[in-house]
Amino acid sequence: MSDPLFSKKHLKLLTDPLNSSNPITVQVLGICSALAVTAQLKPAVVMALSVMAVLAFANVIISLLRNTIPNRIRIIVQLVVIAALVILVDQVLKAYVYDVSKQLSVFVGLIITNCILMGRLEAFALGNRPWPSFLDGIGNGAGYSVILIIVGFFRELFGSGTLWGFRIIPESWYITNGGFYANNGMMILPPMALIVIGIIIWVQRMRNRKLIEE
Amino acid sequence: MMNRNGNTYTFLYAAVMVVLVAAVLASVSIALKPRQKRNYEIEKKQSILASVNIETTAKTAEKIYAEKVVKEYLVNTKGEVIEGDAFNTDLKKERAKAPDKMALPVFECQTDDGIKYVLPVRGTGLWGPIWGFIALNNDMNTIYGATFDHEGETPGLGAEISTPAFQEPFKGKTIFDKSGKLISIIVAKAGQSAPAEHKVDAISGGTITSKGLQKMLFDDFTSYKAFLTKKKL
């Protein structure tokens, strides 16, 4: 009850999702958008930030309402809160930062269907006070972001030879310009994202033995 | 307090929630509409200017547009100029009409190389609409510049139609062959044979978007054909 704002217990809410309870690599949630938006780094980052914002606020709202929500329609209530927040964010972006909203376009819908959101609302916000719920939202959003950014980094670098749209692999290396290098076309397709996530899961479990199932 | 698991409470809760959320979203939407509309208009002006290779920012677009775009008008599929507001014509609605009812916008832009005729185009990609602006030289045949955009094509694949790498090769291509037949532009994969003056490279991994773009150009040039032929003479 009277925990300080950044007590050890609260900080754990922020840091656990980055590693031992990562929403993507450990809970395997939110895979759909992780495959869809990571062909380039920029949309991956924009998506990650949007999910983090929506998740944190949805967590707070559901946590504030948690003692009033009728049990039988709680999933519907959660969905309405998420959908309303996403539409709100989209409208505000369209009015004030139009170019960012263009980047987001298709991903807005994907936020609503992202199972991390429903998962956190159901598993955490319904049973906790607003402040821990907010931290849990930020933490899980960050855990999701880390994976998206890693995957986006490798896919854009090896798939297009650029990062954030800037050329990293020199033009003169390419076969078409008399060099020896070609982009890996597989990298820009979703199956390769799944393979990259698989490799991340493998590396993470090598380093953190506790995660290995018996 | 009422029984939280009772029917009455559940129904009341749902009803109040829906009305509240609807009210909030509706008022936000109404409040932000004018700003959003202005953003769309600025973007459209930027796209039109981009098709004649004039780079603008959101801040400068309106001023440059007023200087450079000397005429805006509508034509029908017979090539006659008709009454109406060209800038605010909704191409989606026009495309849905019968060919003889369509009103097609034309924008005349003053550039350093003379007057260019900018035609808006609109079609379907993989996930949703794609659109663009094609600027023609006054021979009504050679493409001076092209710009495309999309609603939700896949980043890195179909979405590449909005990049300069895809749009640059359109410059200098022609849409009619020597006998005056409308060929439009063929968006071809490597190895696919097509006359070089009508061909641009497709996007690997973006086949359906590429094909949609090719169809869009052919359909829309067909609607403008009478206008183009008339103007050429």
Side-chain angles (χ1 to χ4, degrees):
Chain A
M1 279 295 275
S2 55
D3 277 343
L5 281 187
F6 287 102
S7 65
K8 219 171 174 184
K9 205 173 104 208
H10 283 162
L11 282 179
K12 248 177 98 65
L13 292 173
L14 279 176
T15 53
D16 269 0
L18 293 178
N19 186 2
S20 57
S21 66
N22 188 284
I24 295 185
T25 61
V26 179
Q27 302 175 42
V28 199
L29 293 174
I31 293 287
C32 163
S33 55
L35 304 190
V37 306
T38 50
Q40 287 167 342
L41 197 53
K42 198 173 176 186
V45 170
V46 174
M47 178 68 173
L49 289 177
S50 323
V51 167
M52 203 193 287
V54 173
L55 182 52
F57 287 108
N59 255 356
V60 170
I61 292 174
I62 290 293
S63 170
L64 286 171
L65 296 175
R66 71 187 186 282
N67 293 326
T68 69
I69 298 173
N71 197 35
R72 278 184 294 172
I73 58 163
R74 65 179 198 285
I75 303 277
I76 299 173
V77 175
Q78 292 165 13
L79 207 57
V80 169
V81 168
I82 297 172
L85 275 176
V86 169
I87 295 170
L88 220 58
V89 168
D90 185 42
Q91 293 283 330
V92 171
L93 291 179
K94 267 193 189 134
Y96 292 96
V97 267
Y98 189 66
D99 44 335
V100 175
S101 98
K102 287 202 67 189
Q103 276 285 330
L104 263 169
S105 60
V106 66
F107 312 137
V108 172
L110 283 173
I111 299 178
I112 300 179
T113 60
N114 193 320
C115 21
I116 297 175
L117 277 97
M118 293 290 279
R120 291 328 294 170
L121 294 182
E122 183 74 6
F124 198 90
L126 271 180
N128 286 282
R129 298 166 64 81
W131 175 246
S133 299
F134 178 76
L135 293 178
D136 180 78
I138 296 285
N140 276 279
Y144 172 80
S145 308
V146 168
I147 305 297
L148 247 69
I149 290 166
I150 296 175
V151 178
F153 177 87
F154 285 111
R155 286 183 73 193
E156 187 174 351
L157 182 60
F158 294 114
S160 315
T162 57
L163 280 179
W164 204 264
F166 296 108
R167 184 137 292 284
I168 300 294
I169 294 169
E171 294 279 2
S172 59
W173 284 17
Y174 284 93
I175 293 173
T176 43
N177 298 333
F180 57 90
Y181 184 82
N183 285 328
N184 184 340
M186 180 89 178
M187 270 290 178
I188 50 177
L189 299 175
M192 199 61 198
L194 193 63
I195 295 173
V196 174
I197 290 178
I199 295 172
I200 296 173
I201 293 180
W202 178 29
V203 172
Q204 191 191 13
R205 273 159 217 235
M206 260 173 19
R207 296 170 46 121
N208 190 348
R209 297 256 156 202
K210 276 185 298 197
L211 293 175
I212 302 174
E213 289 88 359
E214 290 293 312
Chain B
M1 184 146 174
M2 264 161 127
N3 173 15
R4 260 178 63 199
N5 290 316
N7 283 342
T8 326
Y9 182 80
T10 306
F11 274 114
L12 273 178
Y13 196 92
V16 170
M17 174 182 72
V18 167
V19 170
L20 269 181
V21 168
V24 168
L25 291 184
S27 42
V28 168
S29 172
I30 291 167
L32 296 177
K33 196 106 231 165
R35 269 181 167 275
Q36 292 174 353
K37 189 159 173 279
R38 188 147 175 270
N39 285 335
Y40 294 132
E41 284 173 10
I42 290 175
E43 192 199 13
K44 188 166 177 185
K45 289 180 174 174
Q46 281 188 288
S47 302
I48 292 173
L49 291 171
S51 74
V52 291
N53 312 324
I54 299 171
E55 286 299 321
T56 53
T57 64
K59 285 207 179 75
T60 59
E62 287 181 305
K63 191 166 161 278
I64 299 179
Y65 186 88
E67 278 169 26
K68 297 288 181 182
V69 179
V70 286
K71 258 195 216 167
E72 303 174 348
Y73 49 88
L74 291 166
V75 295
N76 61 16
T77 43
K78 294 194 206 77
E80 299 151 351
V81 175
I82 52 175
E83 285 290 305
D85 177 358
F87 187 79
N88 289 315
T89 295
D90 184 352
L91 218 52
K92 188 178 165 191
K93 283 189 194 141
E94 297 302 324
R95 289 262 155 264
K97 292 180 187 167
D100 57 326
K101 296 251 166 57
M102 277 185 205
L104 307 159
V106 177
F107 304 93
E108 287 186 16
C109 295
Q110 180 70 52
T111 71
D112 300 340
D113 307 330
I115 294 277
K116 305 295 167 196
Y117 296 83
V118 178
L119 313 179
V121 289
R122 185 181 170 95
T124 320
L126 172 59
W127 303 114
I130 55 175
W131 60 89
F133 294 91
I134 311 282
L136 295 174
N137 282 342
N138 56 7
D139 65 355
M140 291 296 169
N141 183 18
T142 315
I143 293 180
Y144 179 71
T147 160
F148 301 105
D149 211 340
H150 62 94
E151 189 178 279
E153 299 305 298
T154 321
L157 304 176
E160 294 292 300
I161 59 167
S162 60
T163 61
F166 179 74
Q167 294 166 7
E168 203 64 25
F170 279 83
K171 289 180 189 166
K173 303 285 173 186
T174 54
I175 57 173
F176 291 99
D177 72 1
K178 291 205 175 59
S179 64
K181 189 170 163 248
L182 178 67
I183 303 290
S184 181
I185 295 294
I186 295 156
V187 186
K189 295 214 160 175
Q192 191 179 337
S193 72
E197 68 269 28
H198 305 303
K199 180 182 139 180
V200 296
D201 285 335
I203 303 152
S204 45
T207 306
I208 297 176
T209 311
S210 303
K211 283 196 173 140
L213 193 121
Q214 175 175 325
K215 185 172 179 302
M216 161 176 92
L217 292 179
F218 186 79
D219 289 353
D220 286 10
F221 285 141
T222 307
S223 321
Y224 279 107
K225 195 176 166 192
F227 168 73
L228 298 175
T229 324
K230 225 176 216 178
K231 200 86 183 173
K232 191 157 49 168
L233 294 172

